[in-house]
Every structure is written in structure tokens, then in C-alpha cells.
């Protein structure tokens, strides 16, 4: 992505800052390969809830925070069930479901589904939008 900003110094929308190479890397999911170093170091797993920005931590409900009961992963249940086309609430619900149902068989299933989706380039972005909106917390949820 470029560092392009508007006249007020704010970053332009992702779709305006993404280069041709960056667009291709994202659509092919090759931009995820550097995370394999984190798996080799033991900081991440192949399968688990995707790591999110640290600034989101205080915005989680106690139920959403349960996603941190397992190691973060390169791919996860939310990724193979909609990826960036899901709402934040749906992603968190799927992440917590994974925490409650984690097993070797489920991880193998997720890895297989991930390969299929990457080859088909499914769910990378919402139609007409690149990336995802910032998580501001769940509406009406107070814990």
C-alpha cells in the first residue's frame, strides 16, 4: 500500500492506496506467507482466530475476548466461513465457536477449506471494498 493521504493528512481509503502488486498479493493470499515465520517461532499456529490490532482489546465483550484462549492462527473458522465478508460480530462468534470445539480433525478441515478458498479466491474482500472496517466494539454490548 502507498502512504497516500488527503489534504488533512488522513490516509486515503485502502482501495485507493493499494498498488497493482498489492492487489494481486491480497487476492492470491500470498501476503499471508510471512506469518509462517511467526508459526515457526511458536507465536502463532496454522489454525486459530486471526490476530487483531492491540487497540481492539478494550473493545471486546468478555465473550469476544475468549478468542484469546487459544493461540492465534494464519487461518481459522471465521476465515473459511466468510473471511472479510463477515461482520465483526459474526467473526467473533465463529472464533469463540472454534475455541469451544478445537480439535485436530477440525484443524485439518479448516486447512483443507482454506486451500480450497485460496485457490478459488473466495471471500477476500466485500464487493467494492478492500480490507475491513475498524472494530469499534459491539453495539449495545456492555460487560
Amino acid at each position: 500500500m502507498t502512504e497516500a493521504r488527503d489534504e488533512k493528512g488522513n490516509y486515503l481509503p485502502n482501495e485507493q492506496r493499494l498498488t497493482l502488486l498489492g492487489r494481486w498479493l491480497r487476492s492470491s493470499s500470498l501476503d499471508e506467507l510471512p506469518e509462517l515465520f511467526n508459526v515457526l517461532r511458536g507465536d502463532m499456529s496454522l489454525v486459530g482466530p486471526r490476530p487483531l490490532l492491540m487497540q481492539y482489546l478494550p473493545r471486546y465483550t468478555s465473550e469476544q475476548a475468549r478468542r484469546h484462549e487459544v493461540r492465534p492462527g494464519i487461518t481459522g473458522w471465521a476465515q473459511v466461513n466468510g473471511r472479510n465478508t463477515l461482520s465483526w460480530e459474526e467473526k467473533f462468534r465463529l472464533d469463540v465457536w472454534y475455541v469451544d470445539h478445537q480439535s485436530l480433525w477440525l484443524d485439518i478441515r479448516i486447512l483443507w477449506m482454506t486451500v480450497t478458498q485460496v485457490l478459488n479466491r473466495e471471500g477476500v474482500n466485500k464487493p467494492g471494498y478492500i480490507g475491513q472496517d475498524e472494530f469499534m466494539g459491539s453495539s449495545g454490548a456492555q460487560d
Side-chain angles (χ1 to χ4, degrees):
M1 292 183 95
T2 68
E3 296 290 320
R5 297 173 186 257
D6 64 17
E7 62 279 348
K8 295 179 183 175
N10 300 315
Y11 283 115
L12 293 174
N14 291 346
E15 54 271 5
Q16 292 179 22
R17 296 186 304 128
L18 201 58
T19 64
L20 221 49
L21 175 62
R23 193 175 309 274
W24 179 79
L25 287 172
R26 279 189 62 87
S27 71
S28 65
S29 295
L30 289 174
D31 61 328
E32 303 293 342
L33 287 180
E35 290 183 344
L36 286 176
F37 293 114
N38 293 324
V39 172
L40 294 174
R41 285 192 339 209
D43 296 335
M44 289 180 73
S45 178
L46 287 175
V47 179
R50 293 281 298 153
L52 298 174
L53 298 173
M54 294 293 290
Q55 69 194 46
Y56 294 174
L57 287 173
R59 301 174 189 171
Y60 296 150
T61 66
S62 58
E63 183 69 8
Q64 291 167 342
R66 292 193 55 229
R67 68 190 308 276
H68 297 289
E69 293 175 12
V70 297
R71 189 171 293 164
I74 293 176
T75 187
W77 192 236
Q79 282 64 49
V80 298
N81 284 288
R83 209 168 173 178
N84 287 330
T85 64
L86 299 173
S87 70
W88 281 108
E89 285 72 21
E90 291 169 313
K91 288 180 191 181
F92 287 126
R93 182 181 52 76
L94 291 167
D95 286 345
V96 172
W97 186 92
Y98 173 79
V99 168
D100 291 339
H101 296 88
Q102 183 182 18
S103 69
L104 178 60
W105 174 246
L106 181 59
D107 286 358
I108 291 169
R109 181 178 174 195
I110 291 169
L111 288 169
W112 177 253
M113 291 172 73
T114 298
V115 169
T116 303
Q117 288 190 349
V118 166
L119 292 175
N120 293 329
R121 297 182 180 193
E122 294 175 356
V124 178
N125 294 303
K126 292 179 184 177
Y129 186 77
I130 295 173
Q132 60 187 12
D133 296 324
E134 180 177 350
F135 174 64
M136 300 307 292
S138 295
S139 58
Q142 293 293 322
D143 275 12

